[in-house]
Structure formats: C-alpha cells, structure tokens
Amino acid sequence: MRVVTTARTPTRERRSRRAEILDAAAELFAARGFHGVSIEDIGGAVGTSGPALYRHFSGKEALLAEMLLDISERLHASAAERVTAAPDAESALDALLAGQIEFALSHPALITVHDRELGNVPEPARRRIRRLQRLYVEEWVTVLSELHPGCPPPRLRAATHAVFGLLNSTPHSAGELPPEAMTPLLHAMARAALAEARR
Amino acid sequence: MRVVTTARTPTRERRSRRAEILDAAAELFAARGFHGVSIEDIGGAVGTSGPALYRHFSGKEALLAEMLLDISERLHASAAERVTAAPDAESALDALLAGQIEFALSHPALITVHDRELGNVPEPARRRIRRLQRLYVEEWVTVLSELHPGCPPPRLRAATHAVFGLLNSTPHSAGELPPEAMTPLLHAMARAALAEARR
DNA sequence: CGGTGATGTTAGTCATCGTTAACGCCACCG
DNA sequence: CGGTGGCGTTAACGATGACTAACATCACCG
C-alpha cells in the first residue's frame, strides 16, 4: 500500500523529545489522572500519534516512574544544597520554603502528579521515590528540630506535611493572585504555621 | 408507568445499600483514582459482584456525582450553620476551622476524592458541585473580611485555599499523630497562617 | 396463592487501551 | 553509496471495562 505521509523534517531538535513527552504527560496526568490518560493522548499532545512513545519509554508506567523520580530528585537535591549553604537554621528554613514555593508555583502539574500518582508506579522505582520523599521531609524535620528543640519529631513531621499541603495548594487557587503576590503570602503563612508547631 | 423517586427504604439491611456502596467507592477512588477502579472492584468491596451496582446507581459517573454532591452539601451546610450560630467573627472562624478539621480527620477518603475527581463528574452535576464549593469558600472569605477589613478578597480567597490545603493534608500524614494531638495542631497552624493574610 | 418489585446473578456486547509487529524515512558514517 | 539505526507510521492483538440482557430469588400483599 502506498502511504503518502507528511514529509516532515525531523532535523529540528530544539528540545529532547523525552523531555517534551514528559512535560505533556505531566500536564495530562495532572488534569485527568494516570488512568484517565491514554498513550494516544500523550502522543497527540506532542504531535506524534500513539505508539511513537515506545521509542522513548518502555511503557506508560515507566514514563510515570521516570517523571516522579525526576521530581523527587530535584526537590531533594535542591533542599540538600540550600540547607548546607545556609548559615543558620533560620535561614535554612527560609531557603527550604523559598525552594518549595518556587517549584510549586512554576510547576503546578508536576506537584499535582507528585503527590497523587505514587500508587501507580511499579515496585522497583516506587521504593526509590519513597526514599527520596522521606529524605526530603527529614531535611525539613532536621532544620525544624534545631529551631524547636524538645519538640517530638512526629509532631514536626505532621507539621511539615501540613505545610506541604498549604504550599502545594497552588494548583487549586490558580489565577487568584499573581505570583509576585502569591510568593510572599505563602511564605509568610507557612512560616507562621510552622512557628505554631513549637507547642 | 410513573417513576416514583421517593424510595421507601425496604430496611432489609441495617444500613442502606446505597450508602454502603458510596463508602466503599470513596475508599477505592481515594486510593486508586476514579479511572483506576472498576465496577467489579466496587461491587466486590460490598460483597456483591459487578453489575449489581446498577440497581442503585445509573452508572459509575452518576455514583461519583452523588458522592461529590453529598460532600459539598454537607460542608456548605455545616459552614452556614456554624457561621450564623457564632456570636462574632472570631468564633465564627474557629467554628469553621473546627468543622473542616473534624471532617478531614474523620473522612480522609471523602476529602481526597472531593478535591481530585471533580473533573470526572458529568456536566449537569458538575456545575452544582462547583457552586456549593464556591459558596463554601465565600463563607470563609466573608468571615475573614470582617476580621481583616481592607484586605482584598482575592488575597483572602488565596489564603483560604492555602488553609484548605493545610487542613486536607491529613490523608498524607496518616498515622503521624493521634487525632487528639492532630486536631489542636492543625487548628493552631491554620489560625496563625490566616493571621498572616492581613498583610 | 399468585403476582410484583426490589435485588441479585451470569453471560454477553462493544469500545477502548496498552502493547507489539511490520514497515517507511532519512541522517549519518564507513 | 550502501548500510545502519533513530524515529516515525498504521494495523493488529489480547485484556479489560462499562454497561445491558436475561434470568433467579424472595419478601410482601392483594
């Protein structure tokens, strides 16, 4: 059979195709959930159709795994850097807050997928992601322990998760405020909330 | 034949089958997402198998719609009651906080589904749910406006959403703290965070 | 008693989905 | 040039899922 396909020039390689697919998939997963998005949807979102995706990922779950792994690594690495660069616990906390807020405001889809879709990641990768998430939380808890000595770690962990919820609420209030106003507001609210954990 | 929608409960079981199905479905939706749960899964969770569900709901989407509608109505009704019963804005805010915290702690699955699955509700019901959610938020914004006069409503709305994120983080920190400790912690953190919205 | 309606059951149907197969371009490299 | 490999295509396949059909049970009530 004769296939008169569109003769496109694949020489254009402005950005890695993998990254392009990951971005599109993140947007779709955030909007409709992992199982609500088909391979065809993802392919369509990057201009190719369907199974072209398998040239870049071994499957749908592997795609998700790589996405979550990348997010967890970026968050944890950024936190570790910021904490070691800070002169004291006070500024370390501010740096952690600034990092999380910046990430949440600039990548709302990634944040959304990050705390919704862990359950769909197959087992080998799931553990690695969990580990990174735990390390990230412990980064916060360590700083807070220094700030609130004598406060039991479980309480600090609960407070940390609560603050994550506060900061990650960004996707739900999209458009309410411009980022220049949202950033200091979230920072102030989170800081005040964490001060209450002291008991 | 006339369709009589006022269903007289046959009282075969101690609890309505509908409610039993809704509870099981909420748990499953929260854990795996709407599209990650099959009709067979839901049936299996209540001891029946598969299509028995259609004796109680017209379909999977209708089930979700009823679930979200019920949640939104309960939240909004509770908020309206509490606000009108409160003597002043200060205690109204405390009552709103207490209500949301109690709901989030006792029904984590419902809270999870409530802010994740709106996109899967078909259109006639979606608008009603959105409207109730908006009314609920406005209940908070009205109280906060009285507490922080001169503060622009968009800022108060953003702060309210952020506090919802904080309070609804409960499902993510399950087991960190017992409810007796979690309740006052969340209340204090939320109150401190909202005080910062004053600018 | 016989009928009726509420509530189950199992066996399909039809659409969709993830994945694989088989093939076509085309850039690059010996 | 000719092959090789990266990257895309369409066509199929097998599994699964939502939903329907046809039938069973059984309490209840005239």
Side-chain angles (χ1 to χ4, degrees):
Chain A
M1 68 190 63
R2 186 88 76 78
V3 184
V4 191
T5 44
T6 63
R8 82 166 46 74
T9 59
T11 54
R12 296 291 295 277
E13 195 178 342
R14 50 184 183 280
R15 208 152 111 276
S16 158
R17 209 65 203 259
R18 284 177 71 86
E20 204 176 344
I21 292 174
L22 283 168
D23 283 1
E27 223 65 48
L28 290 170
F29 289 165
R32 312 211 288 268
F34 181 72
H35 294 291
V37 176
S38 73
I39 292 292
E40 205 79 29
D41 291 335
I42 301 173
V46 297
T48 84
S49 209
L53 194 143
Y54 288 85
R55 299 294 171 190
H56 305 274
F57 299 92
S58 69
K60 200 185 169 191
E61 289 186 333
L63 193 161
L64 179 68
E66 176 157 335
M67 188 165 122
L68 292 200
L69 211 45
D70 179 57
I71 300 169
S72 303
E73 271 164 4
R74 281 163 70 181
L75 283 175
H76 174 249
S78 157
E81 282 175 26
R82 286 163 190 261
V83 166
T84 60
D88 56 13
E90 280 288 342
S91 51
L93 179 57
D94 277 329
L96 286 178
L97 284 167
Q100 177 74 26
I101 291 169
E102 183 195 324
F103 192 90
L105 285 180
S106 50
H107 308 293
L110 292 187
I111 281 291
T112 298
V113 174
H114 182 249
D115 66 14
R116 279 185 197 182
E117 308 290 5
L118 217 208
N120 294 117
V121 175
E123 220 355 303
R126 177 129 109 237
R127 220 185 317 273
R128 294 181 55 198
I129 295 167
R130 255 202 230 285
R131 182 175 162 276
L132 287 166
Q133 289 179 346
R134 192 165 34 80
L135 288 175
Y136 183 60
V137 172
E138 288 315 305
E139 211 77 59
W140 285 67
V141 170
T142 302
V143 171
L144 286 174
S145 286
E146 199 169 338
L147 242 41
H148 304 328
C151 190
R155 182 179 172 89
L156 294 178
R157 250 184 292 276
T160 299
H161 277 117
V163 165
F164 287 168
L166 189 156
L167 300 179
N168 297 349
S169 70
T170 290
H172 301 303
S173 54
E176 292 278 17
L177 280 187
E180 316 86 60
M182 191 65 116
T183 298
L185 175 61
L186 290 176
H187 198 114
M189 290 181 75
R191 244 200 169 289
L194 284 175
E196 286 302 313
R198 189 179 5 127
R199 166 155 28 206
Chain B
M1 174 183 302
R2 217 130 59 81
V3 180
V4 183
T5 48
T6 58
R8 273 175 295 117
T9 56
T11 64
R12 289 170 41 88
E13 306 285 334
R14 47 184 173 279
R15 210 155 110 275
S16 159
R17 208 68 204 258
R18 284 178 71 88
E20 204 177 344
I21 293 173
L22 283 167
D23 282 1
E27 223 66 47
L28 290 169
F29 289 165
R32 311 211 290 268
F34 180 72
H35 294 290
V37 176
S38 72
I39 290 294
E40 204 78 28
D41 291 335
I42 301 173
V46 297
T48 82
S49 208
L53 194 143
Y54 289 88
R55 299 294 172 190
H56 305 274
F57 299 93
S58 70
K60 202 184 166 191
E61 289 186 332
L63 193 161
L64 179 69
E66 176 158 332
M67 189 167 121
L68 293 200
L69 211 45
D70 179 57
I71 301 169
S72 304
E73 271 164 4
R74 281 162 68 183
L75 283 175
H76 174 250
S78 156
E81 282 174 28
R82 285 163 190 261
V83 166
T84 60
D88 56 14
E90 279 289 340
S91 51
L93 178 57
D94 278 328
L96 285 177
L97 284 167
Q100 177 73 25
I101 291 171
E102 182 196 323
F103 192 90
L105 285 181
S106 50
H107 308 295
L110 292 187
I111 281 290
T112 298
V113 175
H114 183 248
D115 66 14
R116 279 185 198 184
E117 308 291 5
L118 215 209
N120 294 118
V121 175
E123 219 358 303
R126 177 128 112 237
R127 220 185 316 273
R128 293 181 55 197
I129 295 169
R130 254 203 230 286
R131 182 173 163 278
L132 287 166
Q133 289 179 345
R134 192 164 37 78
L135 289 176
Y136 183 61
V137 172
E138 288 313 306
E139 211 76 58
W140 285 67
V141 171
T142 302
V143 170
L144 286 174
S145 286
E146 199 169 338
L147 241 41
H148 302 329
C151 191
R155 181 178 174 89
L156 294 179
R157 250 184 293 278
T160 299
H161 278 117
V163 164
F164 287 169
L166 189 155
L167 299 179
N168 297 347
S169 71
T170 292
H172 300 305
S173 55
E176 293 279 18
L177 280 187
E180 318 85 61
M182 193 63 116
T183 299
L185 175 61
L186 290 176
H187 198 114
M189 290 181 75
R191 250 212 167 279
L194 284 174
E196 285 302 315
R198 191 178 4 127
R199 162 141 49 192

